C-alpha cells in the first residue's frame, strides 16, 4: 500500500513539474510575441526570410471577362502580356512565371499562370486592363488553383451554371 | 462577424448606370458601397435599391476646395444629408483643415492633391481619426506620367513608414471601372505597399470609418 502511495506521489510531482515547465514556456512565448509585436519591421524581415525559403510553386488564376463587345483569345492574351511586360519588364515576367494559358470565347473565362509568391501581383495587373481597342472590359478574378486540371474543372462547373 | 470589402466611392451618372453597377457590385464581393449622386430624386430611392440588391448604400459627398473658407461653407450642415464626406484639397491650408475637422472622413490623394501629403498631414489624420483615400481610377489615369509615378512611390514610402490610416476606392463611374477587392490589394502591392497594409486598406479601415459614422 505504501509503495502505491509513493508511486502515486511521484507521478503527481512529475506531472506538476511538467505543467509548471509548460506554463513557463508558454509565458516565454507570450513575452516573445509581445516583444515582436512592438517591432513590426523585425517581424516583416523574419516573414520575408521564411517566404524566401518557401518553394516556388505554380498557381493558376481563373478569371472572367465582362465586356461590351466580343473578345478573341489572341486580342486578350496580347493585351495582358503587353501590360505585364510594361509593368514588370522581361525579368519580372520570368520571376512571376507569367503565362497566358487559355480563354474561352463563349463563356468569357480564361486561365493565367503565375507563382505562389506573385499571384496577388498578377491579379493586380489584371485589374489594370480596362480597354482593348475600343472595347471596355472588366476582368474579375474568380479563383486560384494549384493544378491546371482543377482550374479547367472550375471553368466547366461555372459553364454549366451559366 | 466576417468583415467584407467596402468600396467607398462609386459615382454613377444616372439611375440606369447605378442599377448596372449594383448588379455587379455584389458579384465582386462588396458588402457596402458609398455612392455619390447629385440628383435629389435618386437620393430618396437609394433605400429601396438597398433592399432590392442586398448591398448597403451610403451617401457620399466629395468636396474640392482651394481655400479654407470655401471648405467651411460647404461643410456647414453636411452630415445631415450625407454619411461619408471626402475632401480633395488643392492647397496646404485646406489639407490641414480637412485633416483636423471631425466632419471630414476622408482626404483624397490623387494627381492634383498628392503634393499636399506630408508627415504633419499624416500625424493630424492619425490624431483626428481621419483617413487617406486612394481613388484607383484617378491614379491609373495619370500613372503614365513619370512625375506622378515618382511622387506616388515616394508617398507610399511615407505611408509604409508612418502607417497612417489608408483606404482604397474605385471611383468608378460605370461598370467597367469597378475593381475587385483582390485587384485593389494587388495594385497596392504593385506600388510598394506591404500586403498587410493593403488588406487593411480594403477591408479594415473602411469598416472602421463606417462603424464610426453609424455608431
Amino acid at each position: 500500500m505504501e509503495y502505491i502511495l509513493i508511486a502515486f506521489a511521484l507521478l503527481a510531482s512529475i506531472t506538476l513539474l511538467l505543467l509548471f515547465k509548460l506554463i513557463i514556456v508558454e509565458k516565454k512565448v507570450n513575452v516573445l510575441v509581445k516583444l515582436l509585436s512592438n517591432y513590426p519591421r523585425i517581424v516583416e524581415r523574419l516573414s520575408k526570410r521564411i517566404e524566401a525559403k518557401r518553394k516556388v510553386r505554380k498557381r493558376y488564376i481563373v478569371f472572367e471577362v465582362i465586356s461590351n463587345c466580343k473578345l478573341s483569345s489572341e486580342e486578350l492574351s496580347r493585351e495582358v502580356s503587353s501590360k505585364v511586360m510594361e509593368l514588370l519588364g522581361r525579368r519580372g515576367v520570368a520571376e512571376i512565371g507569367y503565362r497566358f494559358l487559355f480563354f474561352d470565347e463563349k463563356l468569357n473565362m480564361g486561365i493565367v499562370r503565375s507563382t505562389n509568391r506573385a499571384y496577388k501581383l498578377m491579379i493586380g495587373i489584371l485589374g489594370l486592363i480596362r480597354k482593348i481597342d475600343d472595347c471596355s472590359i472588366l476582368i474579375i478574378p474568380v479563383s486560384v488553383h494549384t493544378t491546371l486540371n482543377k482550374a479547367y474543372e472550375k471553368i466547366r462547373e461555372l459553364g454549366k451554371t451559366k | 462577424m466576417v468583415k467584407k470589402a467596402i468600396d467607398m466611392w462609386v459615382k454613377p451618372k444616372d439611375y440606369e448606370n447605378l442599377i448596372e453597377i449594383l448588379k455587379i457590385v455584389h458579384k465582386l464581393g462588396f458588402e457596402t458601397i458609398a455612392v455619390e449622386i447629385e440628383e435629389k430624386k435618386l437620393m430618396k430611392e437609394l433605400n429601396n435599391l438597398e433592399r432590392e440588391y442586398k448591398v448597403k448604400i451610403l451617401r457620399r459627398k466629395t468636396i474640392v476646395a482651394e481655400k479654407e473658407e470655401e471648405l467651411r461653407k460647404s461643410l456647414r450642415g453636411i452630415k445631415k444629408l450625407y454619411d461619408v464626406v471626402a475632401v480633395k484639397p488643392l492647397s496646404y491650408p485646406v489639407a490641414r483643415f480637412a485633416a483636423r475637422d471631425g466632419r471630414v472622413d476622408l482626404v483624397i490623394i490623387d494627381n492634383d492633391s498628392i503634393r499636399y501629403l506630408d508627415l504633419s498631414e499624416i500625424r493630424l489624420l492619425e490624431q483626428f481619426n481621419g483617413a487617406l483615400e486612394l481613388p484607383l481610377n484617378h491614379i491609373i489615369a495619370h500613372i503614365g506620367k513619370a512625375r506622378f509615378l515618382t511622387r506616388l512611390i515616394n508617398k507610399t514610402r511615407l505611408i509604409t513608414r508612418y502607417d497612417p490610416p489608408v483606404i482604397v476606392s474605385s471611383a468608378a463611374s460605370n461598370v467597367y471601372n469597378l475593381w475587385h477587392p483582390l485587384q485593389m490589394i494587388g495594385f497596392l502591392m504593385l506600388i510598394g505597399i506591404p500586403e498587410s497594409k493593403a488588406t487593411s486598406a480594403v477591408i479594415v479601415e473602411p469598416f472602421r470609418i463606417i462603424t464610426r459614422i453609424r455608431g
Side-chain angles (χ1 to χ4, degrees):
Chain A
M1 190 67 186
E2 279 176 1
Y3 290 118
I4 294 163
L5 271 171
I6 290 163
F8 186 73
L10 265 169
L11 263 170
S13 57
I14 287 163
T15 46
L16 268 172
L17 262 171
L18 279 170
L19 270 171
F20 190 63
K21 268 193 174 180
L22 264 172
I23 289 162
I24 289 168
V25 169
E26 251 189 51
K27 270 186 182 174
K28 277 181 183 173
V29 169
N30 284 336
V31 168
L32 237 171
V33 169
K34 269 186 186 174
L35 262 173
L36 284 173
S37 65
N38 291 331
Y39 301 98
R41 282 189 188 177
I42 295 171
V43 175
E44 207 170 284
R45 269 183 217 161
L46 279 171
S47 60
K48 269 186 186 174
R49 276 187 190 175
I50 293 163
E51 184 79 10
K53 278 182 184 175
R54 270 172 64 197
K55 206 177 173 184
V56 180
R57 292 175 197 280
K58 288 167 191 164
R59 289 288 179 268
Y60 298 90
I61 302 161
V62 176
F63 62 87
E64 191 183 346
V65 179
I66 297 171
S67 72
N68 53 4
C69 56
K70 263 209 165 184
L71 279 173
S72 70
S73 174
E74 285 169 9
E75 278 176 332
L76 190 69
S77 80
R78 191 176 1 104
E79 191 63 32
V80 175
S81 308
S82 70
K83 205 72 185 178
V84 175
M85 191 69 93
E86 185 191 318
L87 283 161
L88 305 173
R90 275 174 202 280
R91 191 166 171 255
V93 172
E95 264 179 20
I96 69 162
Y98 161 75
R99 186 169 284 183
F100 190 92
L101 291 171
F102 167 75
F103 181 67
D104 192 327
E105 289 166 17
K106 281 179 187 171
L107 295 171
N108 267 351
M109 291 179 96
I111 304 168
V112 170
R113 196 182 78 187
S114 184
T115 60
N116 58 344
R117 285 182 192 175
Y119 73 91
K120 282 176 186 168
L121 282 182
M122 190 65 227
I123 289 170
I125 294 167
L126 287 178
L128 291 170
I129 301 160
R130 298 281 155 173
K131 265 199 173 184
I132 297 177
D133 299 331
D134 290 333
C135 291
S136 330
I137 62 162
L138 171 66
I139 300 178
I140 305 170
V142 177
S143 55
V144 181
H145 298 276
T146 48
T147 62
L148 189 56
N149 274 335
K150 281 180 189 172
Y152 278 126
E153 234 171 68
K154 182 77 185 176
I155 288 181
R156 259 176 251 139
E157 224 176 79
L158 290 170
K160 278 176 192 173
T161 53
K162 270 189 175 180
Chain B
M1 190 185 155
V2 181
K3 287 176 191 170
K4 277 192 174 180
I6 297 161
D7 195 345
M8 291 294 272
W9 194 5
V10 177
K11 40 176 185 179
K13 288 166 195 165
D14 47 24
Y15 183 74
E16 289 166 4
N17 203 343
L18 174 64
I19 285 172
E20 272 183 9
I21 287 172
L22 283 173
K23 277 176 190 168
I24 290 205
V25 154
H26 199 257
K27 193 179 177 183
L28 288 173
F30 288 105
E31 192 188 41
T32 313
I33 57 166
V35 180
E36 188 184 356
I37 309 172
E38 296 299 324
E39 292 174 42
K40 285 183 180 175
K41 283 180 188 173
L42 274 178
M43 294 268 278
K44 287 170 187 172
E45 281 186 33
L46 286 181
N47 287 332
N48 299 331
L49 291 172
E50 211 175 45
R51 269 176 244 135
E52 197 177 326
Y53 292 97
K54 290 172 186 175
V55 179
K56 283 176 196 165
I57 302 172
L58 300 172
R59 290 159 185 79
R60 175 192 161 119
K61 178 75 179 170
T62 309
I63 301 165
V64 183
E66 202 174 350
K67 289 176 184 172
E68 214 179 296
E69 280 178 22
E70 269 179 56
L71 183 60
R72 267 189 194 150
K73 265 187 185 176
S74 40
L75 279 176
R76 222 164 276 157
I78 202 163
K79 277 285 173 183
K80 287 173 192 170
L81 295 170
Y82 301 97
D83 301 318
V84 183
V85 178
V87 172
K88 183 178 167 179
L90 296 177
S91 66
Y92 275 110
V94 171
R96 299 284 187 271
F97 184 80
R100 274 200 315 270
D101 200 293
R103 289 166 292 183
V104 179
D105 303 306
L106 306 165
V107 178
I108 297 168
I109 299 298
D110 67 354
N111 181 40
D112 303 320
S113 57
I114 196 164
R115 70 184 73 170
Y116 308 116
L117 174 69
D118 53 10
L119 184 56
S120 44
E121 180 80 8
I122 285 172
R123 291 267 155 84
L124 276 173
L125 280 167
E126 276 178 351
Q127 199 180 332
F128 291 95
N129 283 329
L132 292 171
E133 183 184 13
L134 298 172
L136 292 181
N137 281 323
H138 291 202
I139 287 171
I140 281 173
H142 300 284
I143 214 160
K145 295 173 188 169
R147 187 185 281 179
F148 175 67
L149 194 61
T150 45
R151 260 185 190 158
L152 184 69
I153 287 167
N154 286 337
K155 298 303 176 186
T156 49
R157 256 179 236 149
L158 207 70
I159 286 168
T160 45
R161 188 166 178 191
Y162 294 102
D163 205 27
V166 179
I167 69 144
V168 215
S169 61
S170 65
S173 53
N174 58 42
V175 177
Y176 304 107
N177 286 342
L178 287 169
W179 283 69
H180 192 277
L182 283 177
Q183 285 174 339
M184 285 176 167
I185 293 168
F187 178 76
L188 288 183
M189 282 166 73
L190 259 176
I191 58 170
I193 292 174
E195 196 187 335
S196 56
K197 183 81 185 160
T199 334
S200 82
V202 178
I203 299 166
V204 183
E205 286 298 333
F207 189 79
R208 184 182 65 83
I209 288 166
I210 284 172
T211 45
R212 200 189 68 185
I213 292 164
R214 292 203 162 173

